């Protein structure tokens, strides 16, 4: 089905605003992704204005040459805050998405930009923690001498939720008081507005119940479930700082992050015999290829065990 064309934007800035509106309301991208795309778009238009000596109009957006786009990417790789290869690849992807939008919705095509290739980016594997390390993080969270009992219970509940359900930090912190006591399965809204069911283990439910029994704030059904010391919603930064402090006490590597607990959820399920398609659904991955990274992680773990244990290794 063909997309209707927009009322023609009069300037590149208006086109950028229309693109971000589309990403927000039709693609339902997260606020963080929208902020990143907006920054990339503004940097791109600013470069075109400097390069051509005037603000680009809609016609100019259709005449951007591969050389100009390569020059912009080269500029982003230099200066005071140069981007690495992965960020350059993401920048090129965002600009291509912008031009695809201009083609489909505004009738402004720039097929010549397909000639531009991004840098090769080495695929990075997830870096999970071991089962003992995950257990240590959750147990150590209750041993903080500077935290009140309800705060320690809260931190354990959050980490147990991330590891036990494979949630992203934003997904765990999006839970409201109405979600608890946790049901047998929780409906989670993840990236791109996609929903999935996350089965709740008894240990996860018990940890959340223990926090609820101790937390001191009156909460309405729509209030965030996890609260900060002064009563406001708990922030992702607090969870990250907590894990950073805990891994220092436990002697864990810098790769032991809250998101590593999500990776560990997937890797440990795979190691226990779960199939990739089920893990994909539990994680909320749009593509099976994303989930397949965990097969490489598990294979690497097996090879390490072999190398450590085999007498001829």
């Amino acid at each position: 089905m063909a997309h209707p064309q927009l009322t023609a934007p009069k300037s590149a800035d208006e086109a950028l605003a229309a693109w971000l509106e589309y990403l927000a309301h039709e693609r339902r991208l997260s606020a963080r992704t929208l902020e990143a795309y907006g920054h990339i778009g503004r940097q791109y238009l600013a470069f075109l204005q400097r390069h051509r000596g005037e603000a680009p109009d809609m016609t100019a957006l259709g005449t951007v040459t591969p050389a100009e786009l390569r020059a912009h990417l080269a500029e982003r790789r230099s200066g005071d805050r140069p981007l690495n290869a992965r960020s350059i690849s993401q920048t090129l992807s965002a600009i291509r998405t912008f031009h695809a939008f201009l083609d489909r919705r505004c009738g402004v095509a720039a097929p010549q930009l397909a000639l531009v290739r991004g840098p090769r980016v080495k695929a990075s594997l997830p870096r999970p923690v071991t089962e003992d390390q995950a257990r240590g993080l959750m147990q150590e969270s209750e041993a903080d001498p500077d935290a009140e009992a309800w705060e320690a219970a809260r931190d354990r509940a959050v980490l147990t939720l991330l590891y036990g359900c494979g949630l992203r930090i934003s997904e765990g912190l999006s839970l409201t008081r109405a979600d608890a006591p946790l049901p047998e399965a929780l409906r989670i809204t993840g990236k791109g507005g996609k929903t999935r069911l996350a089965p709740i283990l008894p240990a996860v439910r018990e940890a959340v119940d223990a926090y609820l029994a101790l937390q001191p704030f009156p909460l309405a059904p729509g209030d965030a479930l996890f609260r900060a010391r002064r009563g406001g919603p708990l922030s992702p930064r607090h969870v990250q700082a907590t894990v950073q402090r805990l891994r220092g006490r436990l002697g864990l590597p810098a790769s032991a992050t809250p998101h590593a607990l999500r990776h560990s959820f997937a890797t440990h399920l795979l190691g226990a015999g779960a199939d990739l398609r089920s893990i994909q659904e539990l994680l909320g991955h749009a593509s099976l290829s994303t989930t397949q990274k965990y097969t490489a992680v598990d294979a690497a773990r097996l090879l390490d065990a072999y190398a450590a244990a085999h007498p001829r290794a």
Side-chain angles (χ1 to χ4, degrees), residues 21-92:
E21 189 81 4
Y22 157 76
L23 294 177
H25 297 291
E26 294 192 40
R27 292 284 304 278
R28 299 178 68 183
L29 299 187
S30 70
R32 184 175 179 179
T33 302
L34 288 171
E35 181 181 358
Y37 275 31
H39 178 71
I40 289 170
R42 288 187 293 274
Q43 293 270 5
Y44 176 52
L45 296 185
F47 167 82
L48 292 177
Q49 180 169 350
R50 292 194 307 273
H51 188 74
R52 296 192 172 194
E54 59 183 0
D57 58 14
M58 296 302 294
T59 301
L61 289 177
T63 62
V64 178
T65 67
E68 286 177 310
L69 180 50
R70 292 189 189 102
H72 172 55
L73 297 178
E75 182 179 85
R76 298 299 308 276
R77 295 194 75 160
S78 60
D80 296 334
R81 301 180 66 182
L83 300 183
N84 59 26
R86 183 174 299 278
S87 295
I88 288 293
S89 181
Q90 292 169 344
T91 295
L92 177 58

Side-chain angles (χ1 to χ4, degrees), residues 146-204:
D146 298 324
E148 295 187 25
W150 74 268
E151 293 176 293
R154 174 204 60 203
D155 291 342
R156 175 163 187 148
V158 171
L159 298 185
T160 305
L161 190 66
L162 300 184
Y163 177 60
C165 299
L167 302 188
R168 302 176 178 92
I169 299 180
S170 58
E171 294 169 347
L173 298 186
S174 70
L175 298 186
T176 65
R177 179 63 183 86
D179 291 316
L182 299 182
E184 293 294 320
L186 196 60
R187 187 169 296 277
I188 298 295
T189 301
K191 286 186 176 180
K194 299 181 180 68
T195 61
R196 67 185 190 276
L197 285 179
I200 303 299
L201 298 172
V204 175

Side-chain angles (χ1 to χ4, degrees), residues 257-305:
T257 64
H259 201 66
L261 292 173
R262 173 173 158 88
H263 293 321
S264 304
F265 165 84
T267 305
H268 299 165
L269 278 179
L270 183 65
D275 65 273
L276 272 180
R277 185 67 69 181
S278 297
I279 295 174
Q280 177 193 3
E281 293 178 1
L282 290 170
L283 291 174
H285 286 160
S287 170
L288 186 61
S289 63
T290 305
T291 314
Q292 284 173 331
K293 291 181 181 180
Y294 294 103
T295 62
V297 174
D298 204 51
R301 182 184 62 81
L302 291 174
L303 288 173
D304 287 343

Side-chain angles (χ1 to χ4, degrees), residues 127-129 137 159 162 169 239-240 243-244 247 252-264:
R127 301 178 69 182
V129 296
L137 284 170
L159 298 185
L162 300 184
I169 299 180
V239 181
Q240 293 161 348
V243 173
Q244 183 177 3
R247 75 179 181 230
L252 300 182
S255 58
T257 64
H259 201 66
L261 292 173
R262 173 173 158 88
H263 293 321
S264 304

Side-chain angles (χ1 to χ4, degrees), residues 204-229:
V204 175
R205 187 179 299 106
E206 290 166 7
V208 172
D209 287 347
Y211 155 68
L212 274 177
L214 294 174
Q215 75 85 23
F217 305 106
L219 300 180
D223 289 342
L225 177 61
F226 296 109
R227 315 303 295 186
R229 176 169 292 186

